[in-house]
Amino acid sequence: MSWTLPSFALAQPLQWNAVLLFGTLLLLGLIAGHVVQKSKWIPRLTGYLLIGFVLGDGGLNWLSGDVLQVASVFADIAMALVVYQLGRYVDVRWLMREKWLLATVLACAVLCFSFVSVALLWYGTSTTLALLGGVLAIATGPAVVLVVLRDLKAEGQVTRRLAAMTALNNIVALLVAYALLPVVAAESGTPLMMLVTHTVYSLLGSVLLASLTYWLMMPLARWLGRRRSSQFVLVIAVITLTIGAAHALQLPILLTMLIFAILSKNLDLQYDLMELEFGVANELFIVMLFISIGATMRLSSLTTVGVMVAVLIGARFVANACGIFLFSKPARLTLRHSAWLTLATLPMAEAGLGLAQIGHLYPHTAAEVAPLLAGCLIVLELIGPVATQLALKLSGESDRP
């Protein structure tokens, strides 16, 4: 009896699928993160970014188009988990005692917006680009801050203030962005009333969705009891549900998740919801998040907007330094701690305040801001994690040497 081997020729070219992509990127990210972490001054996030850059449009162009869209699903979950964990650092009762921290956040926001906008106008950019550049400069990168805090097991005055400031300045930046966009948007043919209506819908819708999500989760948390495994699954399920609802309703995910986290921290007077460590599950999505960010980096972006990026970063750093040192004495911060806190705030918000989410309504404005945002992303995503890690180690609040 004769046997015939099946043909090994593929009828169609190899197609990436979500499982194959997830496994491949996790493996490559793990290797790169481990390699760069051999240096005690470079965080593993840098390795994830570099792998993303090599695989993305700026390198081999393997991680782009539909493949990048699949990866961005995991990145959305990662960002939501990060923002949820960071938002739970915002304890309103603690903030009422630390009123100078709120003053610092507001001062930094006003100074960042003012310094960056004026600097970009001086450089010769359009008014729209200058104002939106000022808004984008307000927010510190939540994912970088949280991952570095967790890696270093940092705890102390600088750490607590950095986490709370990051959550709060992201909220401020999002509120300012949505309030400013209808006024400065360079859109033709779109009625102003439609833009204003969209802004009101986005802000109120985020608050409503976050509130509904909170009131859905708390009875379930009470019913399940303080069992860590059950509450872990509950929180992941609710966060994923919220992401899906925000996407479907075209609401800003970052703002919705921040409000939800702050509500869950401050309205849970019976402590039905446990403080959870997301650990390994969080790590899987963090790898995907930073590989996706790295894949969007293109060195060509810096060749056209390099000086503009330097102007924005310089003005932003000076503004944050002025805001932090202005209230350092009443906030009971030493000059040394103020310096480390300033350095730790160097990373800028990874998601560009969700500008891509509103690109369908503001296509011309998004296209005008995109090169500047991409240039800042390249520089600050590479040096930001290093700066934050260095600051926390020098502050003496890290568990690692």
Side-chain angles (χ1 to χ4, degrees), residues 179-229:
L180 193 66
L181 273 167
V183 180
V184 303
E187 305 305 317
S188 56
T190 305
L192 178 61
M193 185 55 65
M194 179 183 292
L195 300 178
V196 172
T197 302
H198 178 263
T199 294
V200 174
Y201 168 76
S202 297
L203 297 179
L204 293 183
S206 294
V207 173
L208 181 59
L209 178 58
S211 301
L212 289 174
T213 305
Y214 169 76
W215 292 116
L216 167 68
M217 184 175 69
M218 292 316 298
L220 289 172
R222 196 173 300 116
W223 178 63
L224 290 170
R226 294 179 61 80
R227 292 196 297 273
R228 195 168 297 275
S229 57

mmCIF file of all heavy atoms in Angstrom, residues 179-229:
data_model
loop_
_atom_site.group_PDB
_atom_site.id
_atom_site.type_symbol
_atom_site.label_atom_id
_atom_site.label_comp_id
_atom_site.label_asym_id
_atom_site.label_seq_id
_atom_site.Cartn_x
_atom_site.Cartn_y
_atom_site.Cartn_z
ATOM 1 N N ALA A 179 -12.374 70.986 26.329
ATOM 2 C CA ALA A 179 -12.948 72.336 26.377
ATOM 3 C C ALA A 179 -12.361 73.225 25.284
ATOM 4 O O ALA A 179 -13.050 74.088 24.722
ATOM 5 C CB ALA A 179 -12.698 72.955 27.744
ATOM 6 N N LEU A 180 -11.085 73.007 24.955
ATOM 7 C CA LEU A 180 -10.386 73.881 24.014
ATOM 8 C C LEU A 180 -10.599 73.489 22.559
ATOM 9 O O LEU A 180 -10.618 74.357 21.676
ATOM 10 C CB LEU A 180 -8.890 73.862 24.344
ATOM 11 C CG LEU A 180 -8.005 74.919 23.695
ATOM 12 C CD1 LEU A 180 -8.385 76.305 24.211
ATOM 13 C CD2 LEU A 180 -6.529 74.637 23.996
ATOM 14 N N LEU A 181 -10.757 72.201 22.293
ATOM 15 C CA LEU A 181 -10.832 71.738 20.905
ATOM 16 C C LEU A 181 -11.915 72.423 20.066
ATOM 17 O O LEU A 181 -11.650 72.822 18.929
ATOM 18 C CB LEU A 181 -11.013 70.212 20.874
ATOM 19 C CG LEU A 181 -9.717 69.408 20.904
ATOM 20 C CD1 LEU A 181 -9.991 67.945 21.185
ATOM 21 C CD2 LEU A 181 -8.962 69.551 19.580
ATOM 22 N N PRO A 182 -13.139 72.585 20.579
ATOM 23 C CA PRO A 182 -14.147 73.242 19.743
ATOM 24 C C PRO A 182 -13.791 74.681 19.390
ATOM 25 O O PRO A 182 -14.233 75.206 18.371
ATOM 26 C CB PRO A 182 -15.414 73.209 20.622
ATOM 27 C CG PRO A 182 -15.171 72.130 21.603
ATOM 28 C CD PRO A 182 -13.701 72.139 21.858
ATOM 29 N N VAL A 183 -12.975 75.313 20.219
ATOM 30 C CA VAL A 183 -12.624 76.715 20.004
ATOM 31 C C VAL A 183 -11.505 76.861 18.988
ATOM 32 O O VAL A 183 -11.529 77.748 18.138
ATOM 33 C CB VAL A 183 -12.214 77.380 21.349
ATOM 34 C CG1 VAL A 183 -11.846 78.842 21.130
ATOM 35 C CG2 VAL A 183 -13.335 77.249 22.364
ATOM 36 N N VAL A 184 -10.491 75.976 19.069
ATOM 37 C CA VAL A 184 -9.297 76.156 18.242
ATOM 38 C C VAL A 184 -9.225 75.189 17.067
ATOM 39 O O VAL A 184 -8.327 75.301 16.239
ATOM 40 C CB VAL A 184 -8.020 76.002 19.101
ATOM 41 C CG1 VAL A 184 -8.027 76.970 20.254
ATOM 42 C CG2 VAL A 184 -7.847 74.569 19.595
ATOM 43 N N ALA A 185 -10.139 74.211 16.990
ATOM 44 C CA ALA A 185 -10.048 73.191 15.944
ATOM 45 C C ALA A 185 -10.053 73.818 14.555
ATOM 46 O O ALA A 185 -10.891 74.667 14.245
ATOM 47 C CB ALA A 185 -11.200 72.204 16.078
ATOM 48 N N ALA A 186 -9.110 73.371 13.721
ATOM 49 C CA ALA A 186 -8.991 73.901 12.361
ATOM 50 C C ALA A 186 -9.819 73.066 11.399
ATOM 51 O O ALA A 186 -9.322 72.544 10.405
ATOM 52 C CB ALA A 186 -7.523 73.905 11.943
ATOM 53 N N GLU A 187 -11.093 72.894 11.710
ATOM 54 C CA GLU A 187 -11.962 72.069 10.871
ATOM 55 C C GLU A 187 -12.810 72.971 9.980
ATOM 56 O O GLU A 187 -13.333 73.991 10.428
ATOM 57 C CB GLU A 187 -12.878 71.204 11.739
ATOM 58 C CG GLU A 187 -12.148 70.343 12.747
ATOM 59 C CD GLU A 187 -11.098 69.439 12.133
ATOM 60 O OE1 GLU A 187 -11.378 68.839 11.084
ATOM 61 O OE2 GLU A 187 -10.009 69.354 12.698
ATOM 62 N N SER A 188 -12.953 72.569 8.742
ATOM 63 C CA SER A 188 -13.783 73.336 7.819
ATOM 64 C C SER A 188 -15.076 72.582 7.567
ATOM 65 O O SER A 188 -15.078 71.376 7.371
ATOM 66 C CB SER A 188 -13.038 73.551 6.487
ATOM 67 O OG SER A 188 -12.655 72.319 5.931
ATOM 68 N N GLY A 189 -16.168 73.286 7.580
ATOM 69 C CA GLY A 189 -17.454 72.676 7.271
ATOM 70 C C GLY A 189 -18.125 71.995 8.441
ATOM 71 O O GLY A 189 -19.222 71.450 8.282
ATOM 72 N N THR A 190 -17.505 71.990 9.621
ATOM 73 C CA THR A 190 -18.125 71.371 10.792
ATOM 74 C C THR A 190 -18.716 72.466 11.670
ATOM 75 O O THR A 190 -17.975 73.331 12.146
ATOM 76 C CB THR A 190 -17.099 70.565 11.614
ATOM 77 O OG1 THR A 190 -16.460 69.619 10.755
ATOM 78 C CG2 THR A 190 -17.782 69.833 12.755
ATOM 79 N N PRO A 191 -20.027 72.471 11.864
ATOM 80 C CA PRO A 191 -20.648 73.528 12.674
ATOM 81 C C PRO A 191 -20.079 73.552 14.087
ATOM 82 O O PRO A 191 -19.818 72.508 14.692
ATOM 83 C CB PRO A 191 -22.134 73.140 12.685
ATOM 84 C CG PRO A 191 -22.308 72.220 11.523
ATOM 85 C CD PRO A 191 -21.010 71.510 11.351
ATOM 86 N N LEU A 192 -19.888 74.757 14.613
ATOM 87 C CA LEU A 192 -19.346 74.909 15.965
ATOM 88 C C LEU A 192 -20.238 74.216 16.984
ATOM 89 O O LEU A 192 -19.746 73.593 17.934
ATOM 90 C CB LEU A 192 -19.213 76.400 16.307
ATOM 91 C CG LEU A 192 -18.702 76.717 17.721
ATOM 92 C CD1 LEU A 192 -17.309 76.153 17.931
ATOM 93 C CD2 LEU A 192 -18.721 78.226 17.968
ATOM 94 N N MET A 193 -21.557 74.282 16.779
ATOM 95 C CA MET A 193 -22.476 73.661 17.738
ATOM 96 C C MET A 193 -22.259 72.148 17.810
ATOM 97 O O MET A 193 -22.364 71.549 18.891
ATOM 98 C CB MET A 193 -23.927 73.970 17.349
ATOM 99 C CG MET A 193 -24.944 73.454 18.363
ATOM 100 S SD MET A 193 -24.651 74.058 20.057
ATOM 101 C CE MET A 193 -24.923 75.807 19.820
ATOM 102 N N MET A 194 -21.919 71.524 16.686
ATOM 103 C CA MET A 194 -21.675 70.084 16.691
ATOM 104 C C MET A 194 -20.422 69.763 17.517
ATOM 105 O O MET A 194 -20.404 68.791 18.280
ATOM 106 C CB MET A 194 -21.496 69.574 15.261
ATOM 107 C CG MET A 194 -21.202 68.070 15.173
ATOM 108 S SD MET A 194 -20.919 67.504 13.481
ATOM 109 C CE MET A 194 -22.564 67.721 12.801
ATOM 110 N N LEU A 195 -19.385 70.598 17.378
ATOM 111 C CA LEU A 195 -18.160 70.385 18.141
ATOM 112 C C LEU A 195 -18.401 70.570 19.636
ATOM 113 O O LEU A 195 -17.923 69.794 20.461
ATOM 114 C CB LEU A 195 -17.067 71.348 17.664
ATOM 115 C CG LEU A 195 -16.667 71.234 16.188
ATOM 116 C CD1 LEU A 195 -15.611 72.275 15.839
ATOM 117 C CD2 LEU A 195 -16.139 69.842 15.876
ATOM 118 N N VAL A 196 -19.165 71.610 19.976
ATOM 119 C CA VAL A 196 -19.471 71.861 21.393
ATOM 120 C C VAL A 196 -20.311 70.722 21.961
ATOM 121 O O VAL A 196 -20.080 70.248 23.081
ATOM 122 C CB VAL A 196 -20.197 73.215 21.556
ATOM 123 C CG1 VAL A 196 -20.690 73.389 22.995
ATOM 124 C CG2 VAL A 196 -19.273 74.358 21.166
ATOM 125 N N THR A 197 -21.286 70.273 21.187
ATOM 126 C CA THR A 197 -22.145 69.173 21.636
ATOM 127 C C THR A 197 -21.326 67.910 21.879
ATOM 128 O O THR A 197 -21.537 67.187 22.851
ATOM 129 C CB THR A 197 -23.241 68.889 20.592
ATOM 130 O OG1 THR A 197 -24.007 70.079 20.384
ATOM 131 C CG2 THR A 197 -24.162 67.777 21.060
ATOM 132 N N HIS A 198 -20.378 67.644 20.981
ATOM 133 C CA HIS A 198 -19.524 66.465 21.151
ATOM 134 C C HIS A 198 -18.692 66.560 22.423
ATOM 135 O O HIS A 198 -18.502 65.572 23.142
ATOM 136 C CB HIS A 198 -18.607 66.303 19.943
ATOM 137 C CG HIS A 198 -17.662 65.148 20.059
ATOM 138 N ND1 HIS A 198 -16.359 65.291 20.491
ATOM 139 C CD2 HIS A 198 -17.839 63.816 19.832
ATOM 140 C CE1 HIS A 198 -15.774 64.111 20.524
ATOM 141 N NE2 HIS A 198 -16.632 63.201 20.125
ATOM 142 N N THR A 199 -18.187 67.765 22.724
ATOM 143 C CA THR A 199 -17.398 67.962 23.937
ATOM 144 C C THR A 199 -18.228 67.692 25.187
ATOM 145 O O THR A 199 -17.807 66.975 26.099
ATOM 146 C CB THR A 199 -16.840 69.400 23.984
ATOM 147 O OG1 THR A 199 -15.901 69.567 22.924
ATOM 148 C CG2 THR A 199 -16.162 69.689 25.310
ATOM 149 N N VAL A 200 -19.430 68.271 25.225
ATOM 150 C CA VAL A 200 -20.314 68.066 26.374
ATOM 151 C C VAL A 200 -20.670 66.588 26.508
ATOM 152 O O VAL A 200 -20.673 66.022 27.612
ATOM 153 C CB VAL A 200 -21.591 68.929 26.235
ATOM 154 C CG1 VAL A 200 -22.590 68.602 27.352
ATOM 155 C CG2 VAL A 200 -21.232 70.409 26.270
ATOM 156 N N TYR A 201 -20.966 65.957 25.392
ATOM 157 C CA TYR A 201 -21.301 64.535 25.402
ATOM 158 C C TYR A 201 -20.141 63.705 25.936
ATOM 159 O O TYR A 201 -20.336 62.791 26.756
ATOM 160 C CB TYR A 201 -21.651 64.088 23.982
ATOM 161 C CG TYR A 201 -21.730 62.583 23.814
ATOM 162 C CD1 TYR A 201 -22.831 61.867 24.274
ATOM 163 C CD2 TYR A 201 -20.676 61.881 23.210
ATOM 164 C CE1 TYR A 201 -22.894 60.476 24.133
ATOM 165 C CE2 TYR A 201 -20.734 60.504 23.061
ATOM 166 C CZ TYR A 201 -21.841 59.807 23.523
ATOM 167 O OH TYR A 201 -21.893 58.442 23.393
ATOM 168 N N SER A 202 -18.913 64.016 25.481
ATOM 169 C CA SER A 202 -17.740 63.248 25.901
ATOM 170 C C SER A 202 -17.495 63.374 27.396
ATOM 171 O O SER A 202 -17.244 62.377 28.090
ATOM 172 C CB SER A 202 -16.493 63.711 25.130
ATOM 173 O OG SER A 202 -16.634 63.471 23.755
ATOM 174 N N LEU A 203 -17.584 64.586 27.924
ATOM 175 C CA LEU A 203 -17.293 64.811 29.344
ATOM 176 C C LEU A 203 -18.384 64.228 30.239
ATOM 177 O O LEU A 203 -18.103 63.476 31.177
ATOM 178 C CB LEU A 203 -17.122 66.308 29.614
ATOM 179 C CG LEU A 203 -15.938 66.979 28.894
ATOM 180 C CD1 LEU A 203 -15.891 68.458 29.215
ATOM 181 C CD2 LEU A 203 -14.625 66.314 29.273
ATOM 182 N N LEU A 204 -19.644 64.565 29.938
ATOM 183 C CA LEU A 204 -20.739 64.058 30.771
ATOM 184 C C LEU A 204 -20.905 62.551 30.595
ATOM 185 O O LEU A 204 -21.204 61.835 31.555
ATOM 186 C CB LEU A 204 -22.042 64.779 30.422
ATOM 187 C CG LEU A 204 -22.094 66.274 30.766
ATOM 188 C CD1 LEU A 204 -23.460 66.845 30.428
ATOM 189 C CD2 LEU A 204 -21.756 66.522 32.231
ATOM 190 N N GLY A 205 -20.699 62.078 29.370
ATOM 191 C CA GLY A 205 -20.813 60.645 29.118
ATOM 192 C C GLY A 205 -19.771 59.847 29.875
ATOM 193 O O GLY A 205 -20.071 58.762 30.399
ATOM 194 N N SER A 206 -18.553 60.379 29.979
ATOM 195 C CA SER A 206 -17.503 59.693 30.733
ATOM 196 C C SER A 206 -17.856 59.595 32.207
ATOM 197 O O SER A 206 -17.676 58.547 32.836
ATOM 198 C CB SER A 206 -16.168 60.436 30.573
ATOM 199 O OG SER A 206 -15.719 60.376 29.246
ATOM 200 N N VAL A 207 -18.361 60.687 32.758
ATOM 201 C CA VAL A 207 -18.760 60.694 34.171
ATOM 202 C C VAL A 207 -19.893 59.703 34.408
ATOM 203 O O VAL A 207 -19.871 58.918 35.377
ATOM 204 C CB VAL A 207 -19.183 62.108 34.614
ATOM 205 C CG1 VAL A 207 -19.753 62.082 36.037
ATOM 206 C CG2 VAL A 207 -18.011 63.071 34.543
ATOM 207 N N LEU A 208 -20.883 59.704 33.510
ATOM 208 C CA LEU A 208 -22.027 58.813 33.662
ATOM 209 C C LEU A 208 -21.623 57.355 33.529
ATOM 210 O O LEU A 208 -22.020 56.503 34.344
ATOM 211 C CB LEU A 208 -23.095 59.165 32.620
ATOM 212 C CG LEU A 208 -24.383 58.336 32.674
ATOM 213 C CD1 LEU A 208 -25.063 58.476 34.044
ATOM 214 C CD2 LEU A 208 -25.341 58.752 31.564
ATOM 215 N N LEU A 209 -20.797 57.035 32.517
ATOM 216 C CA LEU A 209 -20.369 55.650 32.326
ATOM 217 C C LEU A 209 -19.523 55.176 33.508
ATOM 218 O O LEU A 209 -19.690 54.044 33.986
ATOM 219 C CB LEU A 209 -19.566 55.516 31.022
ATOM 220 C CG LEU A 209 -19.016 54.121 30.707
ATOM 221 C CD1 LEU A 209 -20.137 53.090 30.639
ATOM 222 C CD2 LEU A 209 -18.229 54.146 29.389
ATOM 223 N N ALA A 210 -18.636 56.035 33.995
ATOM 224 C CA ALA A 210 -17.813 55.666 35.148
ATOM 225 C C ALA A 210 -18.672 55.422 36.382
ATOM 226 O O ALA A 210 -18.449 54.475 37.142
ATOM 227 C CB ALA A 210 -16.791 56.767 35.428
ATOM 228 N N SER A 211 -19.682 56.255 36.568
ATOM 229 C CA SER A 211 -20.572 56.104 37.729
ATOM 230 C C SER A 211 -21.385 54.822 37.628
ATOM 231 O O SER A 211 -21.518 54.077 38.607
ATOM 232 C CB SER A 211 -21.503 57.316 37.829
ATOM 233 O OG SER A 211 -20.768 58.514 37.956
ATOM 234 N N LEU A 212 -21.927 54.548 36.446
ATOM 235 C CA LEU A 212 -22.711 53.329 36.258
ATOM 236 C C LEU A 212 -21.846 52.084 36.472
ATOM 237 O O LEU A 212 -22.288 51.097 37.071
ATOM 238 C CB LEU A 212 -23.318 53.310 34.848
ATOM 239 C CG LEU A 212 -24.451 54.301 34.594
ATOM 240 C CD1 LEU A 212 -24.859 54.279 33.126
ATOM 241 C CD2 LEU A 212 -25.653 53.996 35.484
ATOM 242 N N THR A 213 -20.610 52.157 35.978
ATOM 243 C CA THR A 213 -19.694 51.028 36.150
ATOM 244 C C THR A 213 -19.397 50.797 37.625
ATOM 245 O O THR A 213 -19.363 49.656 38.107
ATOM 246 C CB THR A 213 -18.376 51.298 35.390
ATOM 247 O OG1 THR A 213 -18.668 51.580 34.027
ATOM 248 C CG2 THR A 213 -17.462 50.093 35.465
ATOM 249 N N TYR A 214 -19.205 51.898 38.358
ATOM 250 C CA TYR A 214 -18.942 51.788 39.795
ATOM 251 C C TYR A 214 -20.134 51.163 40.519
ATOM 252 O O TYR A 214 -19.971 50.241 41.334
ATOM 253 C CB TYR A 214 -18.634 53.164 40.383
ATOM 254 C CG TYR A 214 -18.609 53.177 41.890
ATOM 255 C CD1 TYR A 214 -17.533 52.654 42.591
ATOM 256 C CD2 TYR A 214 -19.691 53.682 42.623
ATOM 257 C CE1 TYR A 214 -17.521 52.640 43.979
ATOM 258 C CE2 TYR A 214 -19.686 53.674 44.000
ATOM 259 C CZ TYR A 214 -18.596 53.150 44.679
ATOM 260 O OH TYR A 214 -18.593 53.131 46.049
ATOM 261 N N TRP A 215 -21.346 51.628 40.224
ATOM 262 C CA TRP A 215 -22.541 51.104 40.897
ATOM 263 C C TRP A 215 -22.862 49.674 40.469
ATOM 264 O O TRP A 215 -23.547 48.944 41.183
ATOM 265 C CB TRP A 215 -23.734 52.022 40.642
ATOM 266 C CG TRP A 215 -23.579 53.356 41.304
ATOM 267 C CD1 TRP A 215 -23.470 54.575 40.706
ATOM 268 C CD2 TRP A 215 -23.488 53.596 42.715
ATOM 269 N NE1 TRP A 215 -23.302 55.555 41.641
ATOM 270 C CE2 TRP A 215 -23.312 54.991 42.886
ATOM 271 C CE3 TRP A 215 -23.520 52.787 43.842
ATOM 272 C CZ2 TRP A 215 -23.174 55.575 44.139
ATOM 273 C CZ3 TRP A 215 -23.382 53.374 45.101
ATOM 274 C CH2 TRP A 215 -23.221 54.744 45.239
ATOM 275 N N LEU A 216 -22.363 49.245 39.317
ATOM 276 C CA LEU A 216 -22.484 47.840 38.914
ATOM 277 C C LEU A 216 -21.510 46.968 39.690
ATOM 278 O O LEU A 216 -21.857 45.869 40.146
ATOM 279 C CB LEU A 216 -22.217 47.711 37.409
ATOM 280 C CG LEU A 216 -22.000 46.287 36.873
ATOM 281 C CD1 LEU A 216 -23.294 45.485 36.955
ATOM 282 C CD2 LEU A 216 -21.475 46.314 35.442
ATOM 283 N N MET A 217 -20.282 47.473 39.869
ATOM 284 C CA MET A 217 -19.239 46.649 40.460
ATOM 285 C C MET A 217 -19.395 46.481 41.970
ATOM 286 O O MET A 217 -19.160 45.387 42.506
ATOM 287 C CB MET A 217 -17.858 47.254 40.168
ATOM 288 C CG MET A 217 -16.708 46.401 40.682
ATOM 289 S SD MET A 217 -15.085 47.036 40.209
ATOM 290 C CE MET A 217 -15.026 48.529 41.203
ATOM 291 N N MET A 218 -19.795 47.522 42.685
ATOM 292 C CA MET A 218 -19.749 47.469 44.140
ATOM 293 C C MET A 218 -20.698 46.419 44.748
ATOM 294 O O MET A 218 -20.295 45.684 45.661
ATOM 295 C CB MET A 218 -20.017 48.853 44.726
ATOM 296 C CG MET A 218 -18.904 49.854 44.436
ATOM 297 S SD MET A 218 -17.233 49.188 44.686
ATOM 298 C CE MET A 218 -17.285 48.802 46.423
ATOM 299 N N PRO A 219 -21.952 46.301 44.292
ATOM 300 C CA PRO A 219 -22.795 45.225 44.841
ATOM 301 C C PRO A 219 -22.215 43.836 44.568
ATOM 302 O O PRO A 219 -22.317 42.943 45.413
ATOM 303 C CB PRO A 219 -24.135 45.418 44.118
ATOM 304 C CG PRO A 219 -24.134 46.834 43.662
ATOM 305 C CD PRO A 219 -22.718 47.153 43.362
ATOM 306 N N LEU A 220 -21.591 43.674 43.396
ATOM 307 C CA LEU A 220 -20.978 42.390 43.081
ATOM 308 C C LEU A 220 -19.775 42.118 43.992
ATOM 309 O O LEU A 220 -19.561 40.994 44.443
ATOM 310 C CB LEU A 220 -20.543 42.369 41.618
ATOM 311 C CG LEU A 220 -21.674 42.316 40.588
ATOM 312 C CD1 LEU A 220 -21.132 42.504 39.179
ATOM 313 C CD2 LEU A 220 -22.430 40.995 40.696
ATOM 314 N N ALA A 221 -18.989 43.161 44.264
ATOM 315 C CA ALA A 221 -17.835 42.999 45.158
ATOM 316 C C ALA A 221 -18.295 42.618 46.566
ATOM 317 O O ALA A 221 -17.696 41.769 47.226
ATOM 318 C CB ALA A 221 -17.020 44.289 45.196
ATOM 319 N N ARG A 222 -19.385 43.233 46.999
ATOM 320 C CA ARG A 222 -19.934 42.929 48.338
ATOM 321 C C ARG A 222 -20.466 41.499 48.389
ATOM 322 O O ARG A 222 -20.286 40.783 49.373
ATOM 323 C CB ARG A 222 -21.039 43.933 48.654
ATOM 324 C CG ARG A 222 -21.448 44.006 50.125
ATOM 325 C CD ARG A 222 -22.426 45.147 50.352
ATOM 326 N NE ARG A 222 -21.837 46.424 49.974
ATOM 327 C CZ ARG A 222 -22.288 47.198 48.996
ATOM 328 N NH1 ARG A 222 -23.345 46.828 48.286
ATOM 329 N NH2 ARG A 222 -21.711 48.347 48.722
ATOM 330 N N TRP A 223 -21.108 41.085 47.303
ATOM 331 C CA TRP A 223 -21.708 39.745 47.235
ATOM 332 C C TRP A 223 -20.620 38.658 47.168
ATOM 333 O O TRP A 223 -20.723 37.620 47.805
ATOM 334 C CB TRP A 223 -22.614 39.675 46.015
ATOM 335 C CG TRP A 223 -23.252 38.340 45.810
ATOM 336 C CD1 TRP A 223 -24.128 37.693 46.630
ATOM 337 C CD2 TRP A 223 -23.048 37.468 44.683
ATOM 338 N NE1 TRP A 223 -24.486 36.481 46.097
ATOM 339 C CE2 TRP A 223 -23.843 36.321 44.899
ATOM 340 C CE3 TRP A 223 -22.299 37.552 43.520
ATOM 341 C CZ2 TRP A 223 -23.885 35.269 43.990
ATOM 342 C CZ3 TRP A 223 -22.340 36.513 42.617
ATOM 343 C CH2 TRP A 223 -23.123 35.385 42.858
ATOM 344 N N LEU A 224 -19.562 38.925 46.394
ATOM 345 C CA LEU A 224 -18.489 37.946 46.248
ATOM 346 C C LEU A 224 -17.628 37.841 47.511
ATOM 347 O O LEU A 224 -16.991 36.813 47.748
ATOM 348 C CB LEU A 224 -17.590 38.319 45.060
ATOM 349 C CG LEU A 224 -18.210 38.156 43.667
ATOM 350 C CD1 LEU A 224 -17.320 38.791 42.617
ATOM 351 C CD2 LEU A 224 -18.439 36.683 43.357
ATOM 352 N N GLY A 225 -17.629 38.900 48.303
ATOM 353 C CA GLY A 225 -16.821 38.883 49.522
ATOM 354 C C GLY A 225 -15.368 39.213 49.243
ATOM 355 O O GLY A 225 -14.946 39.371 48.097
ATOM 356 N N ARG A 226 -14.600 39.295 50.305
ATOM 357 C CA ARG A 226 -13.197 39.707 50.185
ATOM 358 C C ARG A 226 -12.304 38.504 49.856
ATOM 359 O O ARG A 226 -11.395 38.147 50.617
ATOM 360 C CB ARG A 226 -12.750 40.422 51.455
ATOM 361 C CG ARG A 226 -13.479 41.753 51.676
ATOM 362 C CD ARG A 226 -13.034 42.422 52.970
ATOM 363 N NE ARG A 226 -11.614 42.744 52.975
ATOM 364 C CZ ARG A 226 -11.061 43.804 52.388
ATOM 365 N NH1 ARG A 226 -11.822 44.662 51.708
ATOM 366 N NH2 ARG A 226 -9.762 44.028 52.473
ATOM 367 N N ARG A 227 -12.609 37.890 48.729
ATOM 368 C CA ARG A 227 -11.778 36.805 48.208
ATOM 369 C C ARG A 227 -10.979 37.364 47.035
ATOM 370 O O ARG A 227 -11.550 37.796 46.033
ATOM 371 C CB ARG A 227 -12.628 35.622 47.765
ATOM 372 C CG ARG A 227 -13.308 34.894 48.916
ATOM 373 C CD ARG A 227 -13.813 33.528 48.466
ATOM 374 N NE ARG A 227 -14.820 33.657 47.434
ATOM 375 C CZ ARG A 227 -16.129 33.821 47.671
ATOM 376 N NH1 ARG A 227 -16.569 33.889 48.922
ATOM 377 N NH2 ARG A 227 -16.979 33.925 46.678
ATOM 378 N N ARG A 228 -9.673 37.337 47.181
ATOM 379 C CA ARG A 228 -8.804 38.017 46.230
ATOM 380 C C ARG A 228 -8.990 37.505 44.793
ATOM 381 O O ARG A 228 -9.053 38.291 43.846
ATOM 382 C CB ARG A 228 -7.343 37.854 46.669
ATOM 383 C CG ARG A 228 -6.380 38.807 45.980
ATOM 384 C CD ARG A 228 -5.031 38.803 46.670
ATOM 385 N NE ARG A 228 -5.144 39.291 48.030
ATOM 386 C CZ ARG A 228 -5.115 40.569 48.376
ATOM 387 N NH1 ARG A 228 -4.995 41.495 47.435
ATOM 388 N NH2 ARG A 228 -5.193 40.927 49.628
ATOM 389 N N SER A 229 -9.106 36.196 44.628
ATOM 390 C CA SER A 229 -9.226 35.641 43.273
ATOM 391 C C SER A 229 -10.525 36.091 42.606
ATOM 392 O O SER A 229 -10.537 36.457 41.429
ATOM 393 C CB SER A 229 -9.162 34.119 43.322
ATOM 394 O OG SER A 229 -10.178 33.591 44.162
#
